[in-house]
Amino acid sequence: MKIEFYKYQGTGNDFILLDNRENMYSNITPRQVNFLCHRRFGVGADGLMMLSEKPGFDFEMTYFNSDGNTSSMCGNGGRCIVKFASMLGIKKTNYNFYAVDGAHEAEIDLNGEVRLKMKDVDDVEFSYTYYVLNTGSPHYVKSVPDVNQLDVVAEGREIRNSKEFAREGINVNFIETIDDDTIYVRTYERGVEDETYSCGTGVTASALISAHNDNGFNRVEVKTRGGRLSVEFEKISDKKFKNIWLCGPAEMVFKGETKVSI
Ligand SMILES: N[C@H](CCC[C@H](N)C(=O)O)C(=O)O
């Protein structure tokens, strides 16, 4: 099958994007997605997304991890697919698209950065030294003194495959507090089974549990290996957050075409 693809990255979290408005790629298989995402034999990416028509919405986003399986919401992917929609000619100031966790609003600001509204968070579990919460994808969040000293892949893989999380899997975030409003996050991602340069839903989860203002509006700056993001939100309680916006750059890297026969 001939595939025309676009490569995007959002703070180093990189994706293959397919224009599926004519339903050309709806039958793509996990093996084909896994091959396309392979860093040596394929195009190479953390994940693949299809943009499809959806009545009542500007488009529908379908997300696959690089292991080839569809998965939960991808925050950086959501930011990239909005830039992709604009490039395709779906020109808006405010977008409203449908994803696996429901409807998302998004806007492209004057600097070309994308603000993506994330789903509300209604539950945060805290046990001993870590938090577990779902920001569209499930996240484990742990504070550490120095994230650069950490073997994120080894430690993240062990937690992701531990008895508590092995069945569903979980994304594992290690955070270091830089100052009152800034954190540094490194993430081991489920379904990529490696550290990614940033993880949008992970950055969001990490920012929520780092809120400086215990009641009301917060803005947390987040440093990642792939660049800087910010998360704005209202903290209602330690377990409830709403009006959550993930903000940052999302750029097209190249366009290409390839063939997949498998
Ligand atoms: N790997 C995640 C989905 C992608 C999340 C990440 N790329 C983001 O930007 O939110 C999972 O299977 O839960």
Side-chain angles (χ1 to χ4, degrees), residues 5 23-24 27 31 33 39 58 69 77 89 109 119 121 127 140 145 161 164 175 187 189 192 203 207-208 214 222 257:
F5 67 87
N23 270 315
M24 281 171 60
N27 298 325
R31 278 189 72 194
V33 173
R39 296 265 179 213
D58 294 312
N69 300 311
D109 72 16
K119 79 178 195 61
V121 170
S127 35
Y140 171 112
N161 291 307
E164 184 179 357
I175 66 178
T187 306
E189 269 201 51
V192 181
V203 155
L208 298 184
D214 254 350
V222 184
E257 63 179 61

Side-chain angles (χ1 to χ4, degrees), residues 102-262:
H104 287 266
E105 291 172 59
E107 53 202 40
I108 302 175
D109 72 16
L110 295 176
N111 304 319
E113 299 210 344
V114 182
R115 293 167 51 81
L116 173 67
K117 191 171 184 183
M118 308 302 282
K119 79 178 195 61
D120 290 350
V121 170
D122 297 315
D123 187 26
V124 178
E125 297 302 317
F126 179 67
S127 35
Y128 309 115
T129 59
Y130 63 89
Y131 296 84
V132 176
L133 61 159
N134 190 303
T135 51
S137 284
H139 287 277
Y140 171 112
V141 183
K142 181 176 183 180
S143 288
V144 294
D146 182 344
V147 283
N148 279 327
Q149 293 304 315
L150 214 57
D151 183 344
V152 166
V153 174
E155 305 245 353
R157 188 165 287 156
E158 188 178 344
I159 295 163
R160 177 261 184 272
N161 291 307
S162 64
K163 200 153 117 300
E164 184 179 357
F165 300 114
R167 199 166 61 82
E168 296 290 316
I170 198 161
N171 302 284
V172 183
N173 304 271
F174 299 102
I175 66 178
E176 177 183 336
T177 300
I178 307 293
D179 61 36
D180 273 356
D181 302 313
T182 313
I183 57 175
Y184 180 10
V185 180
R186 292 180 66 185
T187 306
Y188 175 92
E189 269 201 51
R190 169 182 76 165
V192 181
E193 301 310 332
D194 200 351
E195 180 181 6
T196 53
Y197 270 35
S198 71
C199 172
T201 50
V203 155
T204 303
S206 303
L208 298 184
I209 63 108
S210 306
H212 183 56
N213 176 2
D214 254 350
N215 193 322
F217 178 78
N218 282 270
R219 178 186 167 96
V220 177
E221 300 298 330
V222 184
K223 187 179 154 211
T224 73
R225 289 183 68 182
R228 294 183 77 95
L229 289 161
S230 61
V231 183
E232 298 175 358
F233 57 92
E234 269 184 73
K235 179 169 181 176
I236 312 302
S237 72
D238 284 348
K239 286 182 176 287
K240 281 189 181 308
F241 301 82
K242 65 178 190 173
N243 286 333
I244 304 167
W245 292 80
L246 171 67
C247 317
E251 300 299 335
M252 182 163 110
V253 184
F254 62 91
K255 174 184 176 184
E257 63 179 61
T258 183
K259 277 194 174 29
V260 278
S261 50
I262 50 172

